[in-house]
């Protein structure tokens, strides 16, 4: 998918993440020249027509939302069997990563983040859209701690399929409402429950209902009481814990009536009047708790007590005791003690008033409210605190999300009341921490992609390069170099990977002499394999007659080219020729030794044998002669062959000879 262009304008650059339903890529909008996030539906879901209809319906409804805390949807489309949504690209991290890296998060920061999340959900609810999958993984935080909620409404579409992704379900189970755990329909109240889980995790760094499987987690949502956040982190104001208690009520009717109501509670949660309010207990929740004997004075009842019910209960108690007069005497004693107590209180108050009146006013130290300086530059924060007669202590630490020189958190938190001259500790960002850049050279591109999925580089640019030495898909080079100290969020990582051996065009060798053909192939990085072929009237001997692959073919460098050379013009076909070969037999000069009947000479016995195209040592003549004689032997000779003869005289071979084919 990397490198593919979707919809004719979105160039896929790198993989950002994936879930049970879709894979999200970083891409570039080539028309508007801006980065975008493209969510592409998994191929196994693209064949379900009912799912596709729901997908389009939900995506279009979410696209209608316009809110600063909701990731904007720019485009929705399909290409062949590829269904996609183009969204706003957020340079930052998920809230899950933020919690993992920065816990414990300051109380004021947590409230600041939570208010943005709840505002986004309230906006969606106002437009009739239930999120259904609220969890920190679907909430993005940029460098300025500005929140963007994503993945609205898509979870509904998944419910129509039969595909299960265990990891995805496990991630969502921790934020599942009890009614959803029982198979009920997700509602706005379900979203409020999930918001409560997110707030619990944001403040404590922990999940209220951990577990090793979706089933075990779901059972805890149904049956186990919610642990108190203040048990994990004592400085959490009771007002914030009460918001979580109400959001995580087992019964939807006991939760906030709306996300907007939850937001209103967050708005006032850090006000001095609410910081020490009693712990909230819900009627139905008390049925599940084991610690039922807590001090009733710290209990706030959600449902008001009916006066008639109260009167009825009191009357029932009197009837049961049968002693109304006894109760009256007890009431008289109580009134006496109240009178004595009142007198003592008046005396003590008067004494205090007199004492305070005479104490020097110089001993009195004013109370001041600590202002919220998170997100400000250190200089701005220091000035604001000093203006309120407060001292400042600075501690620097790295931060992936807060810009260098700005305040990450403060202690005490904003809104706290302290004495003038108190010290406020500021944690100031040094910017993201530098890390040693890994060595990616020689590694497979796909494995490097998996590693980079968990990194937050400013951008990752891929280059392609042919290579005869580096296998296809392996990284050839990187910039910056391995071992460099880099801040990922400020670094553009450039990686070049091999596309395999370079392709070259086979040159035209036809008619070229062997030496020239060899040089042409070597110039292109190719290897020649020569062999001799047939005769050719048009191609001289030793010149190229044929080649394989043919001219113009694209081949990898180093490929062997088969080259066939010509034998030249075919020679003329010769016919057998007949030659009359004279063979002279000389009679011996000593005639007396060979007398004959007539003249007194003795005859000699002559035999001539010959071999040619038609004969093989055949007898040509066999006679006796008494004088020199020449025989003419007709030889038939084939081209490039010879004839042969031998002469035998008186049974002794005396002479041999050959006869050549005449040119």
């Amino acid at each position: 998918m990397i490198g593919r262009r979707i919809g004719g304008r979105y160039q896929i650059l790198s993989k950002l993440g994936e879930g049970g339903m879709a894979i999200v890529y970083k891409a570039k909008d080539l028309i508007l020249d801006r980065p975008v996030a493209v969510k592409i539906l998994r191929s196994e879901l693209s064949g379900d027509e009912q799912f596709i209809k729901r997908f389009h319906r939900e995506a279009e409804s979410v696209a209608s939302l316009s809110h600063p805390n909701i990731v904007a949807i720019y485009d929705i489309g399909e290409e062949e069997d590829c269904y996609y949504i183009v969204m706003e690209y957020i340079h930052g991290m998920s809230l899950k990563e933020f919690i993992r890296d920065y816990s414990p998060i300051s109380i004021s920061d947590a409230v600041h983040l939570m208010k943005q999340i709840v505002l986004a959900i309230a906006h969606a609810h106002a437009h009739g859209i239930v999120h259904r999958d609220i969890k920190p993984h679907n909430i993005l935080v940029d460098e300025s701690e500005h929140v963007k909620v994503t993945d609205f409404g898509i979870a509904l579409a998944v419910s129509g399929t039969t595909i299960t992704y265990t990891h995805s379900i496990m991630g969502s189970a921790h934020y599942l409402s009890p009614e959803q755990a029982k198979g009920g329909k997700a509602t706005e109240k379900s979203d409020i429950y999930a918001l409560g889980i997110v707030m619990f995790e944001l403040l404590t760094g922990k999940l209220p209902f951990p577990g090793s499987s979706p089933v075990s987690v779901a059972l805890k949502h149904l049956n186990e009481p919610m642990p108190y956040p203040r048990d994990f982190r004592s400085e959490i104001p009771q007002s914030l814990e009460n918001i979580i208690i109400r959001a995580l009520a087992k019964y939807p009717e006991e939760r906030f009536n709306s996300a907007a109501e939850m937001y209103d509670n967050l708005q006032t949660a850090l006000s001095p009047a609410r910081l020490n309010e009693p712990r909230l207990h819900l009627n139905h929740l008390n049925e599940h708790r084991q610690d039922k004997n807590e001090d009733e004075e710290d209990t706030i009842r959600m449902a008001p007590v009916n006066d008639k019910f109260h009167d009825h209960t009191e009357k029932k108690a009197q009837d049961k005791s049968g002693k109304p007069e006894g109760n009256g005497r007890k009431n008289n004693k109580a009134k006496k003690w109240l009178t004595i107590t009142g007198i003592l209180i008046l005396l003590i108050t008067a004494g205090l008033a007199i004492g305070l009146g005479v104490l020097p006013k110089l001993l009195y130290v004013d109370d001041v409210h600590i202002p919220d300086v998170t997100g400000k530059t250190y200089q701005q924060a220091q000035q604001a605190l000093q203006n309120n007669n407060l001292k400042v202590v600075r501690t620097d630490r790295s931060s992936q999300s807060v810009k260098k020189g700005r305040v990450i958190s403060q202690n005490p938190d904003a809104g706290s009341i302290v004495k003038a001259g108190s010290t406020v500790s500021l944690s100031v960002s040094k910017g993201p921490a530098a890390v040693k850049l890994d060595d990616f050279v020689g590694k497979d591109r796909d494995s490097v992609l998996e590693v980079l999925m968990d990194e937050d580089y400013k951008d990752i640019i891929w280059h392609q390069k042919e290579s005869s030495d580096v296998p296809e898909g392996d990284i050839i080079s990187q910039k910056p170099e391995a071992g460099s100290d880099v801040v990922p969020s400020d670094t553009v990582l450039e990686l070049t990977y091999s596309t395999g051996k370079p392709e070259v065009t086979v040159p035209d060798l036809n008619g070229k002499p062997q030496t020239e053909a060899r040089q042409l192939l070597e110039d292109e990085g190719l290897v020649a394999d020569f062999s001799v072929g047939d005769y050719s009237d048009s191609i001289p001997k030793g010149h190229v007659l044929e080649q394989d692959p043919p001219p113009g073919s694209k081949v990898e460098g180093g490929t062997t080219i088969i080259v066939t050379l010509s034998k030249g013009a075919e020679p003329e076909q010769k016919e057998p020729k007949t030659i009359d070969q004279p063979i002279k037999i000389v009679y011996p000069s000593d005639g007396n030794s060979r007398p004959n009947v007539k003249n007194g000479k003795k005859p000699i016995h002559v035999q001539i044998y010959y071999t040619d195209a038609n004969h093989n040592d055949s007898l040509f003549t066999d006679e006796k002669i008494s004088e020199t004689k020449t025989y003419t032997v007709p030889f038939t000779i084939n081209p490039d062959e010879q004839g042969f003869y031998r002469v035998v005289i008186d049974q002794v071979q005396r002479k041999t000879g050959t006869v050549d084919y005449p040119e």
Side-chain angles (χ1 to χ4, degrees):
M1 188 61 70
I2 306 297
R4 179 175 171 181
R5 184 178 296 184
I6 301 294
R9 65 184 287 185
Y10 307 110
Q11 187 80 38
I12 304 298
L13 301 177
S14 59
K15 190 175 181 179
L16 294 176
E18 60 182 300
M21 184 195 69
I23 302 174
V24 182
Y25 297 92
K26 181 182 180 182
K28 182 178 182 180
D29 186 336
L30 300 177
I31 295 178
L32 297 180
D33 191 24
R34 66 179 177 183
V36 294
V38 179
K39 175 177 285 189
I40 299 178
L41 203 61
R42 288 186 178 274
S43 57
E44 53 263 49
L45 299 177
S46 62
D48 188 330
E49 292 184 4
Q50 184 180 5
F51 175 84
I52 297 303
K53 289 179 182 178
R54 285 184 170 183
F55 175 80
H56 277 296
R57 185 170 63 250
E58 294 293 333
E60 288 167 2
S61 65
V62 176
S64 66
L65 297 178
S66 178
H67 192 273
N69 297 118
I70 296 176
V71 172
I73 293 183
Y74 296 145
D75 192 8
I76 303 166
E78 63 182 88
E79 186 174 274
E80 296 175 354
D81 60 342
C82 176
Y83 297 88
Y84 62 90
I85 300 175
V86 181
M87 303 176 292
E88 176 184 7
Y89 174 73
I90 306 300
H91 183 66
M93 62 174 66
S94 71
L95 185 63
K96 191 72 174 178
E97 295 167 325
F98 187 90
I99 294 170
R100 179 194 65 196
D101 293 348
Y102 299 117
S103 284
I105 299 164
S106 71
I107 302 298
S108 58
D109 277 356
V111 172
H112 173 67
L113 294 170
M114 202 64 213
K115 286 196 293 187
Q116 296 179 70
I117 299 167
V118 176
L119 267 180
I121 301 304
H123 178 79
H125 288 180
H127 288 75
I129 295 175
V130 177
H131 191 291
R132 302 176 177 87
D133 196 22
I134 297 171
K135 55 186 177 181
H137 315 68
N138 292 337
I139 300 167
L140 305 177
V141 184
D142 68 14
E143 295 175 341
S144 302
E145 294 191 7
H146 184 74
V147 166
K148 291 277 188 176
V149 181
T150 187
D151 277 353
F152 273 87
I154 307 303
L156 176 62
V158 179
S159 65
T161 70
T162 57
I163 298 176
T164 299
Y165 296 90
T166 303
H167 180 74
S168 176
I169 289 176
M170 187 66 230
S172 298
H174 293 296
Y175 309 89
L176 201 67
S177 66
E179 60 269 23
Q180 287 174 287
K182 290 189 292 186
K185 182 180 178 181
T187 64
E188 292 181 4
K189 291 295 187 82
S190 305
D191 279 358
I192 291 172
Y193 186 90
L195 288 171
I197 301 287
V198 171
M199 187 171 173
F200 189 107
E201 189 175 358
L202 191 57
L203 285 166
T204 67
K206 302 178 182 296
L207 288 163
F209 301 112
S212 58
S213 70
V215 173
S216 65
V217 173
L219 288 174
K220 288 182 179 181
H221 283 294
L222 285 168
N223 301 318
E224 290 191 8
M226 183 204 82
Y228 288 131
R230 284 167 58 86
D231 291 345
F232 298 98
R233 188 179 179 186
S234 59
E235 68 264 30
I236 296 175
Q238 188 60 57
S239 55
L240 287 182
E241 186 182 71
N242 287 343
I243 293 175
I244 297 174
I245 291 172
R246 188 169 179 190
L248 294 186
K250 299 291 183 185
Y251 296 87
E253 61 269 19
E254 291 190 328
R255 297 173 203 154
F256 292 103
N257 293 321
S258 65
E261 184 183 356
M262 185 175 179
Y263 175 79
D264 291 340
N265 270 261
L266 283 167
Q267 280 281 71
T268 62
L270 297 183
S271 63
R274 290 193 59 193
L275 292 179
N276 296 313
E277 68 185 21
R279 175 173 281 169
L280 174 67
H281 287 271
L282 304 177
N283 290 331
H284 288 128
L285 193 59
N286 283 336
E287 298 173 7
H288 294 273
R289 286 203 170 274
Q290 297 177 359
D291 53 341
K292 294 182 180 180
N293 296 324
E294 294 199 46
D295 188 359
E296 291 298 325
E297 292 182 359
D298 290 337
T299 302
I300 298 174
R301 298 294 182 183
M302 295 297 297
V305 178
N306 188 295
D307 287 340
K308 293 181 179 179
F309 173 83
H310 186 76
D311 294 342
H312 174 74
T313 305
E314 186 177 6
K315 184 176 185 301
K316 186 175 181 181
Q318 292 176 359
D319 292 344
K320 186 175 182 181
S321 66
K323 297 179 180 179
E325 295 82 0
N327 290 340
R329 283 193 295 271
K330 290 180 182 179
N331 290 338
N332 290 333
K333 286 185 179 181
K335 287 179 181 179
K336 289 180 181 179
W337 276 111
L338 285 173
T339 301
I340 294 170
T341 302
I343 293 170
L344 288 173
I345 291 173
L346 287 172
L347 291 172
I348 293 170
T349 303
L352 285 174
I354 295 169
L356 290 174
V358 298
L359 284 175
K361 292 187 177 180
L362 291 176
L363 295 178
Y364 179 76
V365 180
D366 291 334
D367 287 338
V368 294
H369 287 80
I370 298 180
D372 186 358
V373 295
T374 56
K376 298 180 183 296
T377 65
Y378 174 72
Q379 291 75 15
Q380 292 170 338
Q382 183 184 40
Q383 189 62 52
L385 293 170
Q386 289 176 349
N387 290 344
N388 283 270
N389 296 321
L390 296 168
K391 298 176 183 178
V392 180
V393 174
R394 171 175 176 163
T395 303
D396 291 335
R397 68 178 175 91
S398 299
S399 173
Q400 296 295 123
S401 59
V402 180
K403 291 182 178 179
K404 183 178 180 180
R406 294 187 177 271
V407 177
I408 302 171
S409 62
Q410 62 185 78
N411 187 25
D413 293 316
S416 300
I417 301 175
V418 297
K419 295 297 182 181
S422 297
T423 299
V424 178
S425 298
L426 297 183
S427 181
V428 181
S429 173
K430 295 190 298 184
V435 296
K436 293 285 185 185
L437 186 61
D438 289 339
D439 186 358
F440 300 116
V441 175
K443 295 180 180 178
D444 177 71
R445 177 172 173 267
D446 291 338
S447 62
V448 171
L449 272 173
E450 291 184 9
V451 172
L452 294 178
M453 279 175 57
D454 297 328
E455 302 293 339
D456 185 28
Y457 285 97
K458 184 176 182 180
D459 201 358
I460 301 173
I461 300 175
W462 292 92
H463 302 289
Q464 299 178 350
K465 186 177 181 180
E466 296 174 334
S467 174
S468 301
D469 305 320
V470 181
E472 182 178 355
D474 284 3
I475 306 297
I476 299 173
S477 63
Q478 66 182 76
K479 184 180 179 182
E481 296 181 352
S484 302
D485 290 325
V486 299
V487 176
S489 60
D490 295 336
T491 302
V492 176
L493 179 61
E494 296 188 55
L495 297 170
T496 302
Y497 66 95
S498 170
T499 56
K501 293 182 178 180
E503 284 192 342
V504 297
T505 303
V506 178
D508 188 354
L509 308 176
N510 289 318
K512 301 287 192 301
Q514 181 176 355
T515 54
E516 183 180 349
R518 186 191 303 276
Q519 189 61 51
L520 286 171
L521 292 175
E522 289 180 355
D523 290 346
E524 297 294 338
L526 301 171
V527 179
D529 182 7
F530 291 103
S531 62
V532 178
D534 295 332
Y535 294 102
S536 173
D537 293 335
S538 58
I539 305 298
K541 183 177 180 180
H543 289 230
V544 177
L545 181 65
E546 294 177 348
Q547 67 180 90
D548 183 29
S553 301
K554 296 287 187 180
V555 296
E556 288 185 351
T559 299
T560 298
I561 308 301
I562 306 300
V563 183
T564 305
L565 301 176
S566 169
K567 290 168 63 176
E570 187 175 2
E572 295 180 5
Q573 297 294 328
K574 298 179 180 180
E575 299 292 334
K577 291 184 179 181
T578 301
I579 300 173
D580 292 334
Q581 178 66 37
I583 299 175
K584 185 177 181 179
I585 304 299
V586 180
Y587 187 80
S589 58
D590 185 7
N592 294 329
S593 64
R594 298 177 187 279
N596 59 26
V597 177
K598 294 182 179 181
N599 53 20
K601 293 180 179 181
K602 185 178 178 180
I604 60 174
H605 185 195
V606 177
Q607 293 174 307
I608 298 175
Y609 296 90
Y610 72 110
T611 300
D612 64 3
N614 301 322
H615 303 87
N616 184 19
D617 203 31
S618 299
L619 184 63
F620 175 74
T621 185
D622 184 3
E623 65 177 350
K624 293 179 179 181
I625 61 172
S626 300
E627 57 186 357
T628 297
K629 184 176 180 179
T630 298
Y631 295 92
T632 301
V633 181
F635 280 89
T636 300
I637 307 298
N638 286 325
D640 301 324
E641 294 183 2
Q642 290 179 319
F644 176 79
Y645 66 88
R646 64 190 179 94
V647 177
V648 178
I649 298 176
D650 293 333
Q651 304 302 317
V652 178
Q653 182 170 299
R654 299 290 184 178
K655 184 180 180 181
T656 62
T658 59
V659 180
D660 294 328
Y661 183 87
E663 294 296 334

